[in-house]
Amino acid sequence: MADTFDVIVIGGGPGGYNTAIRAGQLGLSAACIDKRGSFGGTCLNIGCIPSKALLHASERFHEAHSEFAALGIKATVELDLPAMMARKDKVVGELTKGVEYLFKKNKVEPIVGEARIVAPPSNGNLGKVEVKGKDGTRTLTAKSIVIATGSDVAKLPGVTIDEKQIVSSTGAIALKDVPRRLLVVGAGVIGLELGSVWRRLGSDVTVVEFLDRITPGIDGEIGKAFQRVLTKQGFTFHLSTKVVGVEKGKSGLKVTVEPAAGGERSSIETDIILVAIGRVPYTANLGLEGVGVALDKRGRVVTDHHYRTNVAGIYAIGDCREGPMLAHKAEDEAVAVAEIIAGKPGHVNYDAIPSVVYTFPEVASVGRTEEELKAAGIAYKIGKFPFTANARAKTISATEGLVKILADAATDKVLGCHIVGPEAGNLIAEVALAMEFGAASEDIARTCHSHPTLTEAVRQAAMGVEGWTMQM
């Protein structure tokens, strides 16, 4: 095995492994280092992929248990949680093998161990990275080093995660039994997705959120509609509320809460607590301070628009730098940074990065929210269309939600789209593509869409920007 490479990538998640693979495709020698032992990062091993497997399985269980009768289907349904978890693990295993195959195909060397940068590339000298693995320490050198170490679970002060009674997302996808009561701290994407899994399987789910709304950052109107849907599904929300203490007892957990602004305390009894208050960049123990790489106040690696740190030859992408903590954002940055290192133009359009909440119905967004446009003083037009008026949604009994499109008042250029409804994660791709090409809402409105499909709701919302929605 060689010890000198064109590119060393620290971190084997979506950002890291895609950087190494793209570098290999461009003819560069690349190594990808990850301490987990199974490449794919948080997303593939304990995040996006296993949670989506459980979301799919729990949705099918709920559908068979509660909705088949209305479709004229008689069925007796029983939950087999161990089998559901085994399928989840099988999916993860198959995909990690896929990453290993791509490494081999593109001549990327995967290295398992803890990496530390000990010298930056400078004055014609190669950068140096030490890797501590099970067989000892190995020293690697490279012309370029890419930090793609991702993020870690944000901790709640005063609450210790044991992954048994008090769990992070990692523990929440591996529970041995369906908890009778689940309390979720944090009404963001992770908390609501995993809360949905266990709600469908029979848990009473309570969500405590410090802010006065769920899903911060999502368009306000869409967020309110989403909360109404989840409440109908059985979620209980305590907004503008903070957790101030947890006591373990024989019958479960006693959670003390109080208003976010201060006030009288109360308690909530639960069996399992899921701490889902966000994630923080993983930048510790990488040797960054020793080589002078600058971090911001939130612990993120500071980079320019070409992912270069303040130290020549060292780059950073993904969750450990600024921007949304999304796997697909890291993947786009991976391609861009590899191309930049190879001497090609690399670019990411951050105005057209979608985000999705994989509940049912799903929530998806791309571009600016209405609140952001108001704050920026940008004049805009709105088009909306409810799924209750979409023929396909009617036929599949999925009429909750709406599509909302925001366009520039003067130019009609699409500025944002926000969807709560069935297949929102797939529907948003059309608008992301339109925004990438600088399309107007009229371009979407005058594009023929198959009937009956859910995509017609996107078209009708675009038609609504100019007031000529035609389906009801």
Side-chain angles (χ1 to χ4, degrees):
M1 294 183 292
D3 288 327
T4 298
F5 302 88
D6 293 316
V7 184
I8 292 174
V9 184
I10 303 175
Y17 73 72
N18 278 286
T19 300
I21 290 167
R22 184 63 181 134
Q25 291 172 342
L26 293 168
L28 302 177
S29 60
C32 187
I33 307 166
D34 194 272
K35 66 180 182 180
R36 189 185 304 275
S38 176
F39 285 83
T42 294
C43 177
L44 201 162
N45 287 279
I46 55 173
C48 318
I49 301 306
S51 67
K52 303 312 169 281
L54 291 178
L55 280 159
H56 173 76
S58 63
E59 187 179 326
R60 297 287 81 79
F61 172 79
H62 173 77
E63 185 179 18
H65 190 267
S66 303
E67 298 176 11
F68 271 14
L71 301 175
I73 303 171
K74 292 182 178 180
T76 300
V77 181
E78 182 180 349
L79 175 65
D80 185 345
L81 187 59
M84 189 179 289
M85 290 294 179
R87 176 187 174 274
K88 175 229 0 170
D89 294 339
K90 181 174 182 289
V91 169
V92 170
E94 290 172 348
L95 289 172
T96 56
K97 287 183 175 62
V99 174
E100 294 170 5
Y101 165 77
L102 289 171
F103 279 165
K104 185 176 181 180
K105 178 181 178 182
N106 293 285
K107 300 179 180 178
V108 173
E109 183 173 338
I111 300 172
V112 177
E114 295 190 25
R116 182 172 175 272
I117 303 172
V118 294
S122 63
N123 300 321
N125 296 319
L126 298 177
K128 190 177 295 184
V129 177
E130 286 185 353
V131 184
K132 290 184 178 180
K134 63 179 182 180
D135 296 325
T137 300
R138 182 180 173 189
T139 300
L140 312 176
T141 56
K143 299 174 185 176
S144 301
I145 299 170
V146 180
I147 304 164
T149 46
S151 59
D152 199 359
V153 174
K155 306 299 191 297
L156 183 63
V159 178
T160 301
I161 294 173
D162 58 19
E163 300 297 11
K164 294 178 180 179
Q165 286 183 288
I166 303 174
V167 301
S168 68
S169 55
T170 303
I173 61 169
L175 296 177
K176 302 298 183 184
D177 301 290
V178 178
R180 184 169 64 88
R181 301 164 299 181
L182 172 67
L183 186 142
V184 180
V185 186
V189 175
I190 295 171
L192 297 180
E193 285 186 352
L194 294 176
S196 290
V197 168
W198 296 108
R199 178 72 195 97
R200 293 168 189 162
L201 298 181
S203 295
D204 291 329
V205 177
T206 300
V207 180
V208 176
E209 168 58 46
F210 184 82
L211 300 178
D212 61 357
R213 54 162 296 176
I214 71 169
T215 53
I218 287 179
D219 185 88
E221 181 179 13
I222 297 298
K224 289 178 182 177
F226 185 34
Q227 184 178 341
R228 286 194 295 270
V229 172
L230 293 179
T231 300
K232 287 170 64 175
Q233 292 178 3
F235 278 69
T236 299
F237 290 96
H238 296 275
L239 304 181
S240 300
T241 304
K242 63 181 177 181
V243 172
V244 294
V246 176
E247 294 180 24
K248 293 184 178 181
K250 293 181 179 179
S251 61
L253 301 167
K254 180 180 179 181
V255 183
T256 302
V257 299
E258 70 178 26
E264 186 176 348
R265 293 185 174 184
S266 59
S267 63
I268 302 171
E269 301 284 342
T270 191
D271 300 301
I272 298 290
I273 297 172
L274 165 59
V275 178
I277 59 172
R279 298 184 66 83
V280 294
Y282 186 88
T283 53
N285 304 315
L286 299 175
L288 302 185
E289 297 85 353
V291 296
V293 172
L295 304 178
D296 66 14
K297 292 180 180 179
R298 295 172 59 179
R300 300 176 300 188
V301 179
V302 178
T303 70
D304 64 11
H305 295 304
H306 293 95
Y307 314 105
R308 296 175 297 201
T309 69
N310 61 306
V311 178
I314 300 180
Y315 303 78
I317 63 166
D319 286 6
C320 67
R321 70 175 293 273
E322 68 175 341
M325 290 183 171
L326 298 169
H328 45 281
K329 175 255 198 185
E331 290 173 346
D332 272 19
E333 291 179 344
V335 171
V337 76
E339 292 177 348
I340 288 168
I341 290 170
K344 298 178 177 293
H347 174 71
V348 176
N349 179 6
Y350 290 97
D351 291 330
I353 294 180
S355 63
V356 185
V357 187
Y358 293 91
T359 50
F360 188 86
E362 293 179 347
V363 180
S365 299
V366 65
R368 300 210 196 183
T369 66
E370 189 171 355
E371 291 76 17
E372 288 171 341
L373 293 176
K374 286 179 179 178
I378 298 173
Y380 60 92
K381 302 175 291 184
I382 303 177
K384 301 182 209 177
F385 192 77
F387 282 101
T388 52
N390 176 265
R392 180 64 174 167
K394 286 276 191 184
T395 64
I396 63 173
S397 302
T399 56
E400 296 275 13
L402 72 151
V403 179
K404 177 178 181 178
I405 290 180
L406 303 167
D408 188 279
T411 67
D412 194 36
K413 181 179 180 180
V414 178
L415 301 176
C417 179
H418 311 279
I419 306 172
V420 54
E423 296 290 334
N426 290 328
L427 298 180
I428 203 70
E430 173 181 2
V431 185
L433 181 62
M435 292 177 66
E436 187 68 33
F437 281 86
S441 73
E442 186 179 2
D443 293 318
I444 299 174
R446 294 190 181 276
T447 299
C448 187
H449 288 59
S450 300
H451 175 77
T453 62
L454 296 172
T455 63
E456 289 180 288
V458 177
R459 184 188 189 189
Q460 292 293 326
M463 293 162 71
V465 171
E466 294 294 343
W468 58 291
T469 297
M470 298 177 71
Q471 289 183 355
M472 284 303 296

